[in-house]
Amino acid sequence: REFILEEEQQHLCCYCEKRISSIADKSHLEHIRPQDKFPALIDTYKNISVSCQTNNTCGKAKKNSFSDDFIVPTEDDPTKYLTHSPHGEIISIQNNDKGDYTIKLLNLNAPKLTKARRKLFIELDHMKDEIEDFEKYFNEFPTLINYFKETIALKKIFIHKPLKTGLFTSGKTKP
């Protein structure tokens, strides 16, 4: 668990990208395809990741579920299916089934996660004119930081002010 978490995942949950430690009550080995349904993959490296232990999200929410519509983080590029909203939500790109299924199964828009991502968006927005390498200052949600750099900071959108309707919508539309 420690090797995967440190070397492969940079201490981030494989699903929500929240910073986690290798302490047993903070993270667990996640068999992406459940062991009882895919016994041949029990020891397959690509099937094992580390997930956070947050109640009702990520591996805890996924439990023993799996479908071909699930985004497998060790095989699929999640950024082809998912993106962020300035409100802190994860949204599927163009209403795709994989994105919708994965968001729902993992409960990626749980209030605690959405609030943490929204808080980071606001912090990034306040700092965007002063620093360029946000990654040096923040150690969670790297795809959110990339999304911010590519869409918000470049367009000089101020997210700490109320957003105009239609700029970004919460829901399942591509920004």
Side-chain angles (χ1 to χ4, degrees):
R1 175 187 354 204
E2 287 182 40
F3 176 81
I4 293 171
L5 190 58
E6 185 174 324
E7 298 298 323
E8 300 285 334
Q9 297 179 211
Q10 291 74 49
H11 292 278
L12 301 172
C13 173
C14 64
Y15 299 130
C16 72
E17 298 184 321
K18 195 172 80 171
R19 188 139 181 95
I20 55 175
S21 72
S22 59
I23 298 171
D25 66 336
K26 302 290 183 190
S27 64
H28 70 274
L29 277 179
E30 174 73 17
H31 289 83
I32 298 165
R33 289 179 178 84
Q35 299 174 62
D36 63 337
K37 295 177 184 174
F38 299 90
L41 300 178
I42 286 176
D43 294 327
T44 304
Y45 191 71
K46 281 178 54 173
N47 191 49
I48 299 173
S49 288
V50 182
S51 174
C52 67
Q53 289 280 73
T54 305
N55 286 335
N56 302 316
T57 67
C58 302
K60 288 273 202 170
K62 179 180 166 284
K63 298 177 183 168
N64 212 28
S65 300
F66 185 81
S67 160
D68 288 337
D69 283 333
F70 185 70
I71 299 170
V72 178
T74 57
E75 296 172 13
D76 300 317
D77 178 359
T79 62
K80 290 183 178 179
Y81 304 98
L82 305 173
T83 190
H84 296 270
S85 85
H87 303 288
E89 298 168 318
I90 301 289
I91 55 177
S92 65
I93 297 172
Q94 298 179 341
N95 297 328
N96 67 78
D97 291 340
K98 280 189 130 178
D100 292 339
Y101 178 81
T102 302
I103 291 166
K104 185 176 181 181
L105 180 65
L106 299 176
N107 195 20
L108 292 177
N109 287 325
K112 188 174 183 178
L113 289 173
T114 302
K115 184 177 180 180
R117 290 189 296 258
R118 173 72 177 151
K119 181 180 176 188
L120 178 57
F121 256 108
I122 292 169
E123 289 176 27
L124 292 170
D125 188 49
H126 286 291
M127 299 172 67
K128 72 180 173 208
D129 293 328
E130 296 160 20
I131 60 173
E132 292 179 20
D133 298 328
F134 295 113
E135 297 86 353
K136 291 180 183 177
Y137 302 95
F138 300 100
N139 56 13
E140 289 186 305
F141 310 121
T143 57
L144 182 145
I145 292 171
N146 286 336
Y147 170 80
F148 179 86
K149 285 169 54 176
E150 292 171 5
T151 60
I152 306 298
L154 291 177
K155 295 177 183 173
K156 301 294 183 192
I157 296 170
F158 296 94
I159 63 167
H160 60 279
K161 296 179 183 176
L163 295 171
K164 294 180 181 178
T165 304
L167 183 61
F168 284 97
T169 57
S170 66
K172 300 172 183 171
T173 59
K174 183 177 178 180

